Amino acid sequence: AGPNYIRNFAIIAHIDHGKSTLADQLLLKTGTVESRDMQAQFLDGMDLERERGITIKLNQARMRYTAADGCVYALNLIDTPGHIDFGYEVSRSLAACEGCLLIVDASQGVEAQTLANVYLALENELEIIVVLNKIDLPGAEPERVRREVEEVIGLDCSNAILASAKQAIGIDEILAAIVERIPPPADNRGKDLRALIFDSYYDPYKGVIVYFRVIDGELRVGETVKLMRSRKEYQVDELGVLSPKPVKVEALYAGEVGYLAASIKAVADARVGDTITLKRAPAAEALGGYAEVQPMVFCGLFPTEADRFPDLREALGKLQLNDAALVYEPEVSSAMGFGFRCGFLGLLHMEIVQERLEREYSLDLIITAPTVVYRCTSTDGGELTIDNPCELPDHHTDLREPYVRLEMITPKDFVGALMELAQQRRGEFVDMAFLTEARTTLVYNLPLAEVVTDFFDELKSRSKGYASMEYSVTGYRANDLVRLDIKINNEVAEPLASIVHRDAAYRVGRGLVKKLKELIPRQQFRIPIQAAIGSRVIASEAISALRKDVLAKCYGGDVSRKKKLLKKQAKGKKRMKTMGSVEVPQEAFMAVLNIG
Ligand code: GDP
Ligand code: MG
């Protein structure tokens, strides 16, 4: 069958609007997956994804569907990740499609990621089918949401489909619309091979599995391919399509989506966005749009037990095979011992990596507070990149920090509270507009450092969960920033250093020493805790020594209580590091994040 019988589409939505649930229904309805084999969110393969109910890696599935015209169509579904950290992957998966389903929760309406995803779809000139989902909910207002999509996005919603992914309502209409309204891929089978990589995944037996869309030409098993960006060459061992389980094929043609295996060692060798061509007949030009993903957030990871360092190194190596966005290098500190400085796309990415290290590799880690990447000019005129606050030299000029354009969408009642939040976080007002009578969009320029702390949590709590946000990095700006050092027992605790705006330094310094006083357990001796800028102490507290009678009381006759206490201590011990002869618990390393 030629391209006329192929449809490539993605599903885009704000998180939780029902993308994965709808994908499940499409798989069921087309008989791609039998209902007895169906687990909820079938495409969300990773345990973590299932537990958190989010889609981390996008996945694809080919479905066979007999349309009203009696013809059999191959529908290639590409599931996209819904979170901002993975925005680049969304963009690549859309570039592999001719159309998309835009899911909007009919009880909620247009949210920040709905808009961001629609912009990406429009940039890629996709046909958009609007699906108003969750119409089974008593609070669903499909008519209001239909008007909202028309007014806010400017999409014609006269043929929007009303659906409930949960109750399998509207699924036939959606399948019919995919065939009728999404254009088939262009017939480029006669050209030199060009295929766009939109995902890759490491398999311990076959090497990297590369997911791609053939744009031009054809690819056969046994051919030697060349990756136009990385310039690497590989012989193709296996070609296939996911349905959603892998099914081997001999060849893939322009318009088709599939995977290949070619003994590629790490996903970094076959990056998302690269173009595959043939070594013997290379295409003249790579496909457009290849972005190096840059880690935006860094933190230190240290094993609580020093002898687990080699295990941590091995675990990171394994994770990186499958995660080209993860970067790390060894970090040694007198306080923390041997560990790694790791870079991530964002906070969610960071949390996922940390959780996998602890869960899949049974590592107990001390994690230092995340920091953004600063830039400055050193005294000898050199350009420095600072991803660890304690490495900021005392003498430098022109300290710059990354900025984002932040877009919030909120019911109008919370506009005041969110404007206040953005202003407190050094936000610079850009724009405010009414999306509808009830909802407002707020745009700010804001330092990324202010967003990666607890901004999202604050946004949610100040809006009772109703506001959503989306941001993208726009560039660097010089600000009056200083390094805030923390001294424990008169020793600088390097992992607790942070970079803050000078105007906030006193407040943060005071808050931090207070917090540390609460978090660090008392010892036999008095412990001074200070915050300092350079040699100037700006805040200080002290933890008084534990008195003998307190100890005596604790270790008194009550056996069960004593046991409990010992158990608690043993558990607490796991996540401690000694700094300035003082045991510092894990929470202390994150304290700086909670000082608003
Ligand atoms: P995703 O984040 O867009 O992939 O959303 P999910 O498919 O994971 O769905 C988020 C939540 O909404 C889950 O608890 C689903 O069970 C629920 N959900 C999805 N579709 C519907 C629907 O049509 N009706 C109702 N009532 N709940 C739905
Ligand atoms: Mg999902």
Side-chain angles (χ1 to χ4, degrees):
N4 277 340
Y5 298 95
I6 298 174
R7 298 293 183 274
N8 296 309
F9 70 102
I11 307 183
I12 59 176
H14 188 73
I15 193 151
D16 280 347
H17 281 201
K19 215 170 43 218
S20 300
T21 310
L22 179 70
D24 290 349
Q25 291 295 347
L26 298 177
L27 293 174
L28 274 177
K29 196 82 197 182
T30 53
T32 313
V33 175
E34 298 290 331
S35 52
R36 62 169 183 276
D37 299 331
M38 184 52 101
Q39 286 170 284
Q41 278 96 44
F42 193 88
L43 294 178
D44 295 347
M46 218 188 286
D47 276 354
L48 258 173
E49 296 184 51
R50 229 174 258 282
E51 270 168 41
R52 291 177 169 235
I54 53 169
T55 306
I56 298 165
K57 296 294 282 184
L58 60 87
N59 284 286
Q60 56 165 105
R62 186 165 85 168
M63 301 174 278
R64 294 170 65 81
Y65 171 66
T66 308
D69 61 7
C71 299
V72 178
Y73 289 81
L75 309 184
N76 293 311
L77 157 63
I78 291 166
D79 194 18
T80 58
H83 191 273
I84 35 186
D85 283 4
F86 306 97
Y88 180 67
E89 292 191 5
V90 178
S91 165
R92 289 303 80 195
S93 60
L94 294 184
C97 300
E98 279 76 33
C100 66
L101 301 177
L102 170 65
I103 315 291
V104 185
D105 183 334
S107 68
Q108 306 276 332
V110 173
E111 296 290 355
Q113 285 152 44
T114 316
L115 271 185
N117 281 318
V118 167
Y119 295 146
L120 290 176
L122 293 173
E123 268 170 35
N124 284 290
E125 298 176 1
L126 300 191
E127 177 69 30
I128 299 174
I129 296 171
V130 178
V131 176
L132 304 175
N133 189 34
K134 305 199 188 184
I135 55 162
D136 60 290
L137 287 178
E141 300 175 89
E143 287 316 311
R144 172 183 69 78
V145 172
R146 185 200 298 269
R147 278 198 309 277
E148 194 170 296
V149 174
E150 286 192 331
E151 285 167 28
V152 173
I153 308 179
L155 289 176
D156 175 11
C157 285
S158 56
N159 52 5
I161 298 169
L162 302 186
S164 163
K166 195 161 196 171
Q167 299 190 353
I169 300 169
I171 310 303
D172 283 317
E173 272 179 274
I174 292 171
L175 286 166
I178 290 168
V179 169
E180 280 159 27
R181 284 156 59 183
I182 295 177
D187 191 351
N188 291 333
R189 284 177 290 184
K191 300 186 179 172
D192 289 330
L193 174 69
R194 287 199 298 177
L196 175 68
I197 300 179
F198 61 80
D199 196 13
S200 57
Y201 149 81
Y202 179 76
D203 178 286
Y205 302 105
K206 297 178 180 171
V208 176
I209 308 290
V210 178
Y211 299 104
F212 57 91
R213 153 80 192 264
V214 186
I215 305 290
D216 300 330
E218 61 176 76
L219 176 58
R220 294 184 167 276
V221 176
E223 292 267 25
T224 298
V225 292
K226 181 175 177 177
L227 300 183
M228 297 183 80
R229 212 51 77 136
S230 72
R231 293 167 194 275
K232 302 217 162 145
E233 295 174 356
Y234 302 94
Q235 190 178 6
V236 177
D237 304 326
E238 182 180 328
L239 274 181
V241 295
L242 293 182
S243 190
K245 296 218 167 62
V247 178
K248 290 183 194 177
V249 299
E250 278 305 305
L252 285 167
Y253 301 91
E256 289 191 296
V257 180
Y259 72 87
L260 68 79
S263 308
I264 303 173
K265 297 223 164 49
V267 290
D269 296 330
R271 298 281 285 254
V272 171
D274 206 343
T275 301
I276 303 168
T277 190
L278 286 183
K279 186 188 171 192
R280 59 176 174 80
E285 241 181 282
L287 296 161
Y290 176 88
E292 278 293 341
V293 281
Q294 291 292 341
M296 299 306 303
V297 178
F298 282 75
C299 74
L301 298 181
F302 297 88
T304 43
E305 295 143 34
D307 59 354
R308 300 289 315 269
F309 174 76
D311 298 336
L312 176 58
R313 181 174 51 209
E314 196 187 320
L316 282 168
K318 280 190 184 154
L319 287 185
Q320 196 183 43
L321 288 177
N322 213 351
D323 183 352
L326 169 67
V327 299
Y328 63 94
E329 58 180 40
E331 179 181 356
V332 193
S333 111
S334 53
M336 308 293 280
F338 290 90
F340 290 96
R341 191 86 196 151
C342 302
F344 309 93
L345 296 177
L347 287 188
L348 180 73
H349 185 212
M350 180 177 94
E351 272 177 40
I352 288 165
V353 170
Q354 289 167 356
E355 208 168 315
R356 293 189 64 186
L357 288 171
E358 300 196 331
R359 198 189 284 214
E360 294 166 29
Y361 299 90
S362 322
L363 289 159
D364 276 323
L365 301 173
I366 292 272
I367 298 156
T368 64
T371 167
V372 301
V373 181
Y374 296 88
R375 289 183 187 160
C376 73
T377 312
S378 66
T379 39
D380 60 12
E383 175 83 7
L384 294 176
T385 307
I386 310 287
D387 62 32
N388 192 347
C390 72
E391 283 170 1
L392 179 70
D394 287 332
H395 300 286
H396 61 261
T397 54
D398 194 28
L399 183 52
R400 284 158 286 144
E401 61 180 327
Y403 264 67
V404 299
R405 180 187 161 90
L406 173 81
E407 195 162 340
M408 299 179 273
I409 293 185
T410 176
K412 64 176 189 300
D413 296 353
F414 308 114
V415 166
L418 294 187
M419 289 181 86
E420 188 187 67
L421 171 65
Q423 251 128 37
Q424 278 171 8
R425 302 299 167 90
R426 299 192 281 138
E428 178 188 273
F429 178 81
V430 177
D431 193 21
M432 173 164 107
F434 290 101
L435 283 180
T436 63
E437 336 63 280
R439 273 134 57 85
T440 305
T441 164
L442 283 170
V443 183
Y444 277 83
N445 289 328
L446 205 81
L448 176 62
E450 302 285 348
V451 181
V452 301
T453 56
D454 58 350
F455 193 95
F456 183 70
D457 297 337
E458 273 292 315
L459 170 113
K460 284 291 176 194
S461 88
R462 287 180 188 221
S463 67
K464 302 200 165 76
Y466 285 110
S468 57
M469 64 182 252
E470 179 73 36
Y471 63 85
S472 54
V473 175
T474 48
Y476 273 76
R477 255 199 229 181
N479 273 325
D480 190 6
L481 304 169
V482 292
R483 190 185 76 225
L484 186 63
D485 288 323
I486 295 294
K487 289 182 184 175
I488 298 176
N489 209 14
N490 302 314
E491 274 182 39
V492 172
E494 287 188 345
L496 296 181
S498 55
I499 292 175
V500 297
H501 195 273
R502 191 182 299 276
D503 294 346
Y506 281 89
R507 186 171 49 79
V508 174
R510 266 197 306 273
L512 203 48
V513 293
K514 238 186 173 151
K515 194 84 178 229
L516 291 172
K517 183 183 172 181
E518 286 165 25
L519 290 172
I520 295 173
R522 295 166 80 184
Q523 327 255 330
Q524 311 286 6
F525 48 91
R526 182 177 177 276
I527 309 164
I529 297 180
Q530 297 165 319
I533 300 172
S535 57
R536 196 159 46 91
V537 173
I538 60 168
S540 69
E541 289 275 351
I543 302 172
S544 52
L546 210 52
R547 278 179 301 144
K548 286 226 170 61
D549 56 332
V550 176
L551 260 182
K553 223 184 248 164
C554 289
Y555 291 97
D558 185 342
V559 180
S560 76
R561 185 161 157 218
K562 190 170 158 186
K563 262 195 195 144
K564 227 188 235 163
L565 190 78
L566 287 176
K567 212 164 156 189
K568 210 166 159 189
Q569 272 183 348
K571 209 170 156 208
K573 250 223 169 60
K574 279 167 110 182
R575 305 287 168 120
M576 296 268 199
K577 279 284 173 184
T578 307
M579 290 196 284
S581 325
V582 174
E583 300 241 285
V584 179
Q586 165 69 64
E587 299 75 53
F589 294 91
M590 294 293 163
V592 69
L593 296 185
N594 300 319
I595 296 166

